Amino acid sequence: QLETLEQEEQECLELRPHPTEKTTHIVSHEHGMTVTKTLQEGEAEPQCQGFSYSRAKLRGLLLEGASLLLLRVLARRQTMPPDLVFPAINTEGDLCTSSY
């Protein structure tokens, strides 16, 4: 029974004249998860967005770290169950599905 407690992703683009930095921070709490996205373009004020998802919507959630672990286990077992689909959170912070 593995559970993601916290995850942070950071993406930097060195575009001239306005470098862009995008950060996504995901935190688990007793009611579900909160996703906070921050976008910083050049010297402009950072733009922040937040999303919250209930535990019911996230049942079986597979985030990036857990996905890597699952892929290693499947490779080690050399087997792939049919129709393997999990809820996931995409790079925009929206709920989606991840299929293998």
Side-chain angles (χ1 to χ4, degrees):
Q1 181 82 15
L2 298 176
E3 179 181 352
T4 299
L5 300 177
E6 188 171 359
Q7 176 175 306
E8 185 155 338
E9 297 175 16
Q10 186 173 10
E11 181 180 341
C12 297
L13 299 172
E14 295 296 329
L15 301 174
R16 297 178 198 264
H18 302 289
T20 302
E21 183 175 323
K22 185 166 92 173
T23 304
T24 305
H25 188 230
I26 302 172
V27 178
S28 179
H29 48 78
E30 78 178 87
H31 301 293
M33 284 194 158
T34 300
V35 178
T36 306
K37 288 178 25 180
T38 305
L39 178 65
Q40 171 101 37
E41 293 181 293
E43 299 296 319
E45 286 293 316
Q47 301 172 17
C48 294
Q49 289 181 300
F51 310 89
S52 290
Y53 298 105
S54 68
R55 286 223 179 259
K57 285 188 176 183
L58 299 175
R59 192 167 313 277
L61 178 70
L62 194 66
L63 293 177
E64 186 177 7
S67 177
L68 290 173
L69 181 60
L70 176 62
L71 288 173
R72 288 182 181 193
V73 169
L74 292 173
R76 179 91 172 157
R77 291 184 177 176
Q78 296 182 350
T79 183
M80 181 63 105
D83 302 322
L84 196 55
V85 178
F86 294 95
I89 296 176
N90 66 17
T91 57
E92 300 304 315
D94 300 321
L95 210 52
C96 63
T97 57
S98 182
S99 304
Y100 293 83

